[in-house]
Amino acid sequence: MRVIRKYANRRLYDTEQSRYVTLEDLRGLILDEVPFRVEDARSGEDLTRTILLSIIIEQEQADGDAQVFSNDLLAQFIRVYDMAQPLPLSRYLEQGTKLMLEQQQRMQDQWQQAMRHSPMDLMRDMAEENMRFWQKTIGQATGNGNKGGKGDDNES
């Protein structure tokens, strides 16, 4: 696991690459699914959650059109913290988000697969499938062994 140290001056240092990094760099690690831990340089305290929340805040502020957390949703989160018996919200959100991301990936994969073929290829494939269906259907209806093949009209 990659270790990122946070210094008193608020700078983040990647110990593996021996360089200072930004929240955007850490966001890139998340997108690349690189596990990391952010720790206080002096005490060793785990600051990962705080940094992850900072990345979310930065993301929310960067693109007003792509906000994930509405004011109402954030207010509801605050109310959950104040409950005598807080809901197991973390697990629910993790599972729901994981399911949503898996479905999104599946849709993207299906879309890419569909786009590999030109519209003409898709039309040809559909026409061929329809032709096979009708040949089989006509062949079964007439009891013809060649299922509606070419020699049918020459036998009369």
Side-chain angles (χ1 to χ4, degrees), residues 50-63:
T50 304
I51 295 300
L52 293 173
L53 287 167
S54 297
I55 292 169
I56 290 171
I57 290 169
E58 191 174 90
Q59 189 74 31
E60 285 279 313
Q61 292 173 341
D63 189 358

Side-chain angles (χ1 to χ4, degrees), residues 77-125:
F77 284 157
I78 292 168
R79 288 185 197 105
V80 167
Y81 283 100
D82 200 41
M83 295 174 78
Q85 288 285 329
L87 300 170
L89 189 60
S90 173
R91 182 180 167 118
Y92 175 77
L93 289 173
E94 285 174 11
Q95 290 176 345
T97 302
K98 182 179 178 183
L99 176 64
M100 182 186 67
L101 290 173
E102 287 172 356
Q103 289 176 343
Q104 177 72 18
Q105 184 62 50
R106 213 175 357 227
M107 290 291 289
Q108 287 176 348
D109 292 345
Q110 289 174 352
W111 181 253
Q112 287 175 350
Q113 187 176 20
M115 294 308 292
R116 286 187 189 131
H117 302 289
S118 71
M120 291 305 290
D121 290 339
L122 291 173
M123 294 294 285
R124 185 188 69 239
D125 292 346

